[in-house]
Amino acid sequence: MLLAALRRLVVGAFVALIVLGLAWELWVAPLRPGGSALSLKVLPLVFALPPLLRGHVRTYQWWSMFVLAYLAEGLVRATSDRGPSVPLAIVETGLAALAFTAILLFVREARRSGRAMPEAHGPSPADPRSPAAKDR
């Protein structure tokens, strides 16, 4: 139950970061009039959504590091930009911090519940279905 709630929270934060990034860089406050190539920063978030939705713990572990780039961008732009970019950067910082915290809680809870994906490494050699078991 808690894992599902944390997964929804992480996915929701990622979707919000995607929407915010696109709106920010294409319409609300782009670096260049008519949109900015900086909107491509949301592509990694888009590609991360399917494994996050499936609850792959390894993906959560990787994104615990990568989401910090969005946090750093929000902090830098909140302190260096002017105009409508400042509140957008503050929102990005909050969403990235929320995603980071929820990711850490998800991974901790997955490990605690024994769901830390041992199947990601394949069957163990002691498993009778394992190719290594045929050698015995």
Side-chain angles (χ1 to χ4, degrees), residues 9 14-15 24 34-35 53 59 82 87 90 94 97 99 111 117 127 131-132:
L9 186 60
F14 272 53
V15 169
W24 185 357
L53 284 167
T59 304
R82 299 283 178 252
I90 292 169
R111 285 185 176 200
M117 289 193 43
D127 187 352

Side-chain angles (χ1 to χ4, degrees), residues 62-133:
W62 276 101
W63 272 97
S64 69
M65 295 177 285
F66 293 147
V67 77
L68 295 176
Y70 296 90
L71 180 78
E73 184 208 15
L75 290 171
V76 168
R77 292 188 71 179
T79 57
S80 64
D81 284 3
R82 299 283 178 252
S85 285
V86 175
L88 294 171
I90 292 169
V91 170
E92 181 182 38
T93 301
L95 287 171
L98 174 69
F100 178 73
T101 304
I103 287 169
L104 293 182
L105 292 173
F106 179 90
V107 171
R108 184 176 75 181
E109 188 60 31
R111 285 185 176 200
R112 205 179 271 164
S113 68
R115 198 184 158 276
M117 289 193 43
E119 68 274 0
H121 304 291
S124 71
D127 187 352
R129 298 169 296 182
S130 169

Side-chain angles (χ1 to χ4, degrees), residues 31-43:
L31 290 177
R32 306 213 186 315
S36 163
L38 197 54
S39 63
L40 296 175
K41 68 184 178 187
V42 303
L43 281 180

